[in-house]
Amino acid sequence: MATTGHTVKAFDTDLGQIRGLVSEMGGRAEAAITDSIGALAQLDLETAARIVEDDRRLDELEAEVERHVIRLIALRQPMADDLREVVAALKISGVVERIGDYAKNIAKRVPLLADMHSSEPLAILPAMARAVSDLVRAALDAYAARDPAAAIEVCRADRQVDDFYNTLFRSLLTYMMENPTAITPSAHLLFIAKNLERIGDHATNVAEMVYFAATGEQLTERPRGQDPLAVMGA
Amino acid sequence: MATTGHTVKAFDTDLGQIRGLVSEMGGRAEAAITDSIGALAQLDLETAARIVEDDRRLDELEAEVERHVIRLIALRQPMADDLREVVAALKISGVVERIGDYAKNIAKRVPLLADMHSSEPLAILPAMARAVSDLVRAALDAYAARDPAAAIEVCRADRQVDDFYNTLFRSLLTYMMENPTAITPSAHLLFIAKNLERIGDHATNVAEMVYFAATGEQLTERPRGQDPLAVMGA
């Protein structure tokens, strides 16, 4: 494609700005995950409320990415690889916004758990949250570095999150059977574990989009862990 | 913008094709919701397996929409309203694909519930599923008709789905307390109800995108029902 140096430079500047916004979104989503589980462990209602409030900024950033993408396409009319990368930025910002929604949902449950006594399954959550936020960071790092090999690694690492989820699901159900009076808080913990598991899936989605943007090929046969549902009935 | 009649016609044909693909996705997602709850009510493992299998087609259609969108942008270089509509089609196809994922997740739980005895809360699910699939159809109809008023109506109607969810959440928890041996199947029903509630939220997202594509304005102050989490602790 014949373009002047001037046009190429303008495109790179615009794209760099969009990529910067997506990275900012990633950093915020990652912090929201860690902070929401921290707020849960400490039953810190103030932090929980702040996370819910801060999520608006993620929504605004996603809208900002969309505006930039539309403007960039209209002004620079990118082709082939460039266009694929612009579309990937748009899609990844959408996924990161949803990751933020899951973290916000965890934070919203903190006040509902305020009179909860510590339960054994609760002890596993911080480790699972750490694995999940590491996964989100790795997916966004792969995006920043345009690194398809790192993207494959993220899909592999999602197994660990699925393992955490299966362990938590089983132990929460056992805990509910043994402590019927703790069924309501345990149900919230079940949803919190599910939210973390879904965030792991979304990090995998980001990695798949990074792979596609970098290579032009779908990472269809994703190396998955054991399907969480496959062991649920056990 | 000065364009020849020829260019306009080619753009309209391409966009019509993309809109047709999105509508096909919507019809499939809607059927998957109804069929998955039907399979659950009948404990029909064959239908459940078919739904899981059919979901691949939704993934393919989403990839097809993306290819068409990229090609259309590259070839026709649409501006302003046209570009906004093309981006909306891309985003809506992503949301519809996720709606299909939730229906698939319901279908995947059917075998895990095969030895479940009918429980009272189970009786509410089909009515909730009907409300949810009506909502998805209404959102896609609003898209097909480019009708912002219909889009607002979808956001309003999502309240009913939230009410269903709150009722189910409460009655499932009570049921679990009274029947500790039924905790595992009830936990699956809890996730199924949550999936339906999330599908309702996604239909609302589609409606918001339809509104934005038609008017250029965000439907930010969405008329929401009672926040499901707000009543969960009750």
Side-chain angles (χ1 to χ4, degrees), chain B residues 96-115:
Chain B
V96 175
E97 189 272 329
R98 279 196 301 286
I99 290 175
D101 276 349
Y102 283 110
K104 179 176 74 173
N105 186 277
I106 294 172
K108 276 188 175 180
R109 289 181 198 271
V110 173
L112 307 180
L113 291 164
D115 55 355

Side-chain angles (χ1 to χ4, degrees), chain B residues 111-130:
Chain B
L112 307 180
L113 291 164
D115 55 355
M116 175 185 61
H117 301 289
S118 74
S119 72
E120 217 176 282
L122 187 58
I124 312 176
L125 272 179
M128 182 177 181
R130 209 152 32 237

Side-chain angles (χ1 to χ4, degrees), chain A residues 148-208:
Chain A
I152 294 175
E153 209 34 65
V154 170
C155 300
R156 281 221 183 86
D158 187 35
R159 278 186 208 196
Q160 201 202 337
V161 173
D162 291 346
D163 290 345
F164 265 121
Y165 176 71
N166 290 327
T167 304
L168 253 170
F169 182 86
R170 283 209 196 94
S171 77
L172 275 168
L173 259 52
T174 307
Y175 188 80
M176 288 162 113
M177 288 175 208
E178 290 166 356
N179 304 277
T181 56
I183 279 179
T184 301
S186 300
H188 288 299
L189 291 178
L190 211 51
F191 280 123
I192 288 171
K194 188 74 197 167
N195 284 342
L196 290 176
E197 190 258 338
R198 291 294 294 148
I199 292 175
D201 286 346
H202 280 60
T204 302
N205 289 346
V206 169
E208 288 170 345

Side-chain angles (χ1 to χ4, degrees), chain B residues 38-104:
Chain B
L40 176 69
Q42 308 290 324
L43 295 177
D44 176 350
L45 305 193
E46 214 168 302
T47 299
R50 203 247 313 141
I51 293 163
V52 173
E53 190 53 41
D54 282 359
D55 185 64
R56 283 164 192 258
R57 183 69 192 126
L58 264 185
D59 298 346
E60 286 167 9
L61 281 166
E62 189 200 3
E64 210 173 317
V65 167
E66 184 175 336
R67 279 195 302 275
H68 274 76
V69 163
I70 289 181
R71 205 175 62 100
L72 183 150
I73 292 174
L75 286 181
R76 316 285 175 214
Q77 299 168 348
M79 296 285 190
D81 293 3
D82 288 345
L83 185 53
R84 202 169 62 222
E85 211 188 325
V86 173
V87 170
L90 181 71
K91 293 179 73 174
I92 290 172
S93 74
V95 178
V96 175
E97 189 272 329
R98 279 196 301 286
I99 290 175
D101 276 349
Y102 283 110
K104 179 176 74 173

Side-chain angles (χ1 to χ4, degrees), chain B:
Chain B
M1 187 174 94
T3 43
T4 65
H6 180 74
T7 307
V8 170
K9 198 167 177 304
F11 174 81
D12 287 347
T13 306
D14 290 353
L15 181 61
Q17 210 170 9
I18 292 170
R19 291 176 64 91
L21 288 170
V22 173
S23 291
E24 187 188 338
M25 289 182 74
R28 282 176 174 272
E30 204 192 308
I33 299 164
T34 313
D35 293 353
S36 65
I37 296 293
L40 176 69
Q42 308 290 324
L43 295 177
D44 176 350
L45 305 193
E46 214 168 302
T47 299
R50 203 247 313 141
I51 293 163
V52 173
E53 190 53 41
D54 282 359
D55 185 64
R56 283 164 192 258
R57 183 69 192 126
L58 264 185
D59 298 346
E60 286 167 9
L61 281 166
E62 189 200 3
E64 210 173 317
V65 167
E66 184 175 336
R67 279 195 302 275
H68 274 76
V69 163
I70 289 181
R71 205 175 62 100
L72 183 150
I73 292 174
L75 286 181
R76 316 285 175 214
Q77 299 168 348
M79 296 285 190
D81 293 3
D82 288 345
L83 185 53
R84 202 169 62 222
E85 211 188 325
V86 173
V87 170
L90 181 71
K91 293 179 73 174
I92 290 172
S93 74
V95 178
V96 175
E97 189 272 329
R98 279 196 301 286
I99 290 175
D101 276 349
Y102 283 110
K104 179 176 74 173
N105 186 277
I106 294 172
K108 276 188 175 180
R109 289 181 198 271
V110 173
L112 307 180
L113 291 164
D115 55 355
M116 175 185 61
H117 301 289
S118 74
S119 72
E120 217 176 282
L122 187 58
I124 312 176
L125 272 179
M128 182 177 181
R130 209 152 32 237
V132 167
S133 74
D134 284 353
L135 207 62
V136 171
R137 187 185 312 119
L140 269 297
D141 284 352
Y143 174 65
R146 297 178 166 89
D147 183 344
I152 294 174
E153 208 36 62
V154 170
C155 300
R156 282 221 182 86
D158 187 33
R159 278 185 208 196
Q160 203 204 336
V161 172
D162 291 345
D163 289 344
F164 265 120
Y165 176 71
N166 290 327
T167 304
L168 253 170
F169 182 86
R170 283 210 196 95
S171 76
L172 276 168
L173 258 53
T174 308
Y175 188 80
M176 287 161 114
M177 288 174 208
E178 291 166 357
N179 304 276
T181 56
I183 279 179
T184 302
S186 301
H188 288 298
L189 292 178
L190 211 51
F191 280 124
I192 288 172
K194 189 73 196 166
N195 285 342
L196 290 176
E197 190 257 338
R198 293 292 294 146
I199 292 175
D201 286 347
H202 280 59
T204 302
N205 290 347
V206 169
E208 288 169 345
M209 290 167 189
V210 169
Y211 189 89
F212 178 70
T215 66
E217 281 171 31
Q218 300 281 354
L219 190 61
T220 38
E221 287 304 308
R222 81 162 78 156
R224 288 204 68 108
Q226 205 170 15
D227 183 341
L229 280 175
V231 298
M232 269 184 177

Side-chain angles (χ1 to χ4, degrees), chain A residues 118-141:
Chain A
S118 75
S119 72
E120 216 177 284
L122 187 57
I124 313 177
L125 271 178
M128 182 177 180
R130 209 152 34 236
V132 167
S133 73
D134 285 353
L135 207 61
V136 171
R137 186 185 313 120
L140 270 297
D141 284 352

